[in-house]
Amino acid sequence: MVTVKMLKPYYVKTEEKFVRIILAYQYFSVMMNKKVYQFIPVEANEIRIDRKTKRIVNTDAVFAFQNGKDIITISMSQLISIPEFLEQLHGIAESYYLTEASTSITDQQKEVHRIIKELELNNIKRLIDKALDQNDYDMFIKLSSLL
Protein backbone atom coordinates (compact mmCIF):
# COMPACT_ATOMS: atom_id res chain seq x y z
CA MET A 1 0.00 0.00 0.00
CA VAL A 2 1.44 3.34 -1.06
CA THR A 3 0.68 6.52 0.87
CA VAL A 4 1.86 10.05 0.22
CA LYS A 5 3.96 11.31 3.09
CA MET A 6 4.79 14.74 1.65
CA LEU A 7 4.03 16.60 -1.58
CA LYS A 8 5.42 20.09 -2.00
CA PRO A 9 6.27 21.69 -5.32
CA TYR A 10 9.80 22.88 -6.03
CA TYR A 11 8.03 25.58 -8.01
CA VAL A 12 4.78 26.08 -9.90
CA LYS A 13 4.73 27.42 -13.43
CA THR A 14 1.54 28.58 -15.10
CA GLU A 15 0.98 28.57 -18.82
CA GLU A 16 -2.07 29.57 -20.81
CA LYS A 17 -3.63 26.10 -20.65
CA PHE A 18 -1.64 24.25 -17.99
CA VAL A 19 -0.32 24.45 -14.45
CA ARG A 20 3.05 22.73 -14.22
CA ILE A 21 4.05 21.52 -10.77
CA ILE A 22 7.80 20.91 -10.81
CA LEU A 23 9.13 18.40 -8.28
CA ALA A 24 12.61 18.07 -6.79
CA TYR A 25 14.54 16.10 -4.16
CA GLN A 26 13.09 16.13 -0.63
CA TYR A 27 9.85 17.79 -1.73
CA PHE A 28 7.94 14.62 -2.54
CA SER A 29 8.00 11.38 -0.57
CA VAL A 30 5.86 8.27 -0.30
CA MET A 31 5.59 5.52 2.27
CA MET A 32 5.56 1.92 1.13
CA ASN A 33 5.94 -1.16 3.36
CA LYS A 34 6.70 1.11 6.35
CA LYS A 35 9.65 2.68 4.50
CA VAL A 36 9.89 6.30 3.36
CA TYR A 37 10.99 6.76 -0.24
CA GLN A 38 12.23 10.16 -1.43
CA PHE A 39 11.46 11.37 -4.94
CA ILE A 40 14.41 11.44 -7.35
CA PRO A 41 14.07 13.16 -10.74
CA VAL A 42 15.30 10.22 -12.82
CA GLU A 43 12.28 9.89 -15.09
CA ALA A 44 9.40 12.39 -14.76
CA ASN A 45 9.81 15.51 -12.64
CA GLU A 46 6.58 17.44 -13.21
CA ILE A 47 2.84 17.12 -12.93
CA ARG A 48 0.88 18.96 -15.63
CA ILE A 49 -2.74 19.93 -14.91
CA ASP A 50 -5.25 21.47 -17.32
CA ARG A 51 -6.24 24.84 -15.83
CA LYS A 52 -9.79 24.65 -17.15
CA THR A 53 -10.78 21.01 -16.57
CA LYS A 54 -8.53 20.54 -13.48
CA ARG A 55 -7.43 17.16 -14.83
CA ILE A 56 -3.91 15.76 -14.81
CA VAL A 57 -2.63 15.71 -18.38
CA ASN A 58 0.58 13.69 -18.15
CA THR A 59 -0.97 10.46 -16.88
CA ASP A 60 1.74 8.43 -18.61
CA ALA A 61 4.49 9.91 -16.38
CA VAL A 62 6.51 7.58 -14.15
CA PHE A 63 8.14 8.85 -10.95
CA ALA A 64 11.17 7.30 -9.25
CA PHE A 65 11.63 7.13 -5.48
CA GLN A 66 14.64 6.05 -3.45
CA ASN A 67 15.28 4.63 0.01
CA GLY A 68 19.00 3.96 0.39
CA LYS A 69 19.96 1.82 -2.59
CA ASP A 70 16.39 0.66 -3.15
CA ILE A 71 14.65 2.47 -6.03
CA ILE A 72 10.98 2.06 -6.92
CA THR A 73 8.93 3.59 -9.73
CA ILE A 74 5.32 4.63 -9.43
CA SER A 75 3.20 5.63 -12.39
CA MET A 76 0.96 8.68 -12.40
CA SER A 77 -2.06 6.40 -12.79
CA GLN A 78 -1.12 4.68 -9.50
CA LEU A 79 -0.65 8.04 -7.76
CA ILE A 80 -4.01 9.29 -9.04
CA SER A 81 -5.69 6.38 -7.27
CA ILE A 82 -4.42 7.70 -3.90
CA PRO A 83 -7.00 10.18 -2.53
CA GLU A 84 -4.51 12.10 -0.36
CA PHE A 85 -2.26 12.62 -3.41
CA LEU A 86 -5.13 14.22 -5.34
CA GLU A 87 -6.16 16.34 -2.34
CA GLN A 88 -2.64 17.71 -1.84
CA LEU A 89 -2.13 18.20 -5.58
CA HIS A 90 -5.35 20.15 -6.07
CA GLY A 91 -4.59 22.16 -2.93
CA ILE A 92 -1.33 23.26 -4.57
CA ALA A 93 -2.84 24.01 -8.00
CA GLU A 94 -6.21 25.43 -6.87
CA SER A 95 -5.22 29.09 -7.02
CA TYR A 96 -3.97 28.65 -10.60
CA TYR A 97 -7.14 27.13 -12.06
CA LEU A 98 -9.24 29.11 -14.51
CA THR A 99 -12.65 29.92 -13.10
CA GLU A 100 -15.85 30.60 -15.01
CA ALA A 101 -15.59 34.26 -14.01
CA SER A 102 -12.09 34.64 -15.45
CA THR A 103 -13.14 32.86 -18.65
CA SER A 104 -16.22 35.06 -19.08
CA ILE A 105 -14.15 38.19 -18.43
CA THR A 106 -11.82 37.11 -21.19
CA ASP A 107 -14.77 36.63 -23.55
CA GLN A 108 -16.15 39.97 -22.45
CA GLN A 109 -12.79 41.65 -23.08
CA LYS A 110 -12.64 40.13 -26.57
CA GLU A 111 -16.10 41.50 -27.36
CA VAL A 112 -15.17 44.97 -26.07
CA HIS A 113 -11.99 44.89 -28.16
CA ARG A 114 -13.99 43.89 -31.25
CA ILE A 115 -16.50 46.73 -30.71
CA ILE A 116 -13.70 49.28 -30.24
CA LYS A 117 -12.06 48.15 -33.50
CA GLU A 118 -15.39 48.47 -35.30
CA LEU A 119 -15.96 51.98 -33.92
CA GLU A 120 -12.44 53.05 -34.92
CA LEU A 121 -13.00 51.76 -38.46
CA ASN A 122 -16.33 53.62 -38.71
CA ASN A 123 -14.63 56.79 -37.44
CA ILE A 124 -11.89 56.52 -40.10
CA LYS A 125 -14.53 56.07 -42.82
CA ARG A 126 -16.40 59.13 -41.54
CA LEU A 127 -13.18 61.21 -41.56
CA ILE A 128 -12.46 60.03 -45.13
CA ASP A 129 -15.92 61.24 -46.18
CA LYS A 130 -15.24 64.57 -44.48
CA ALA A 131 -11.85 64.89 -46.27
CA LEU A 132 -13.57 64.17 -49.60
CA ASP A 133 -16.25 66.77 -48.88
CA GLN A 134 -13.54 69.35 -48.12
CA ASN A 135 -11.37 68.32 -51.11
CA ASP A 136 -8.48 67.62 -48.70
CA TYR A 137 -6.44 65.20 -50.82
CA ASP A 138 -3.57 64.81 -48.31
CA MET A 139 -5.93 63.91 -45.46
CA PHE A 140 -7.79 61.50 -47.76
CA ILE A 141 -4.53 59.66 -48.64
CA LYS A 142 -3.41 59.61 -45.00
CA LEU A 143 -6.74 58.21 -43.73
CA SER A 144 -7.07 55.74 -46.61
CA SER A 145 -3.75 54.18 -45.64
CA LEU A 146 -5.26 53.32 -42.23
CA LEU A 147 -7.85 51.02 -43.80
Side-chain angles (χ1 to χ4, degrees), residues 27-71:
Y27 288 91
F28 185 20
S29 60
V30 295
M31 187 169 260
M32 183 179 214
N33 299 328
K34 298 182 182 179
K35 291 182 182 177
V36 177
Y37 289 84
Q38 296 290 329
F39 169 77
I40 53 173
V42 175
E43 296 187 32
N45 71 336
E46 76 174 12
I47 302 168
R48 208 170 29 247
I49 303 173
D50 187 301
R51 292 179 72 193
K52 196 171 190 179
T53 64
K54 302 176 186 175
R55 291 181 179 245
I56 297 170
V57 177
N58 59 333
T59 54
D60 58 337
V62 177
F63 298 95
F65 297 87
Q66 182 176 22
N67 180 325
K69 292 184 179 183
D70 190 20
I71 295 176

Side-chain angles (χ1 to χ4, degrees), residues 29-135:
S29 60
V30 295
M31 187 169 260
M32 183 179 214
N33 299 328
K34 298 182 182 179
K35 291 182 182 177
V36 177
Y37 289 84
Q38 296 290 329
F39 169 77
I40 53 173
V42 175
E43 296 187 32
N45 71 336
E46 76 174 12
I47 302 168
R48 208 170 29 247
I49 303 173
D50 187 301
R51 292 179 72 193
K52 196 171 190 179
T53 64
K54 302 176 186 175
R55 291 181 179 245
I56 297 170
V57 177
N58 59 333
T59 54
D60 58 337
V62 177
F63 298 95
F65 297 87
Q66 182 176 22
N67 180 325
K69 292 184 179 183
D70 190 20
I71 295 176
I72 61 169
T73 58
I74 302 174
S75 68
M76 180 67 80
S77 56
Q78 287 176 295
L79 288 171
I80 291 171
S81 67
I82 303 170
E84 62 209 25
F85 172 76
L86 290 175
E87 288 172 14
Q88 290 183 37
L89 186 63
H90 289 299
I92 293 166
E94 189 173 20
S95 62
Y96 302 100
Y97 291 148
L98 293 176
T99 61
E100 290 296 321
S102 65
T103 305
S104 65
I105 289 172
T106 305
D107 292 341
Q108 199 174 28
Q109 288 173 339
K110 287 179 184 177
E111 181 64 16
V112 167
H113 186 68
R114 187 192 65 75
I115 290 170
I116 289 172
K117 286 282 192 192
E118 187 178 322
L119 289 170
E120 287 174 344
L121 182 64
N122 288 338
N123 192 35
I124 290 170
K125 288 178 181 178
R126 193 170 50 254
L127 290 171
I128 288 172
D129 285 343
K130 183 178 177 184
L132 287 172
D133 288 343
Q134 295 175 351
N135 292 324

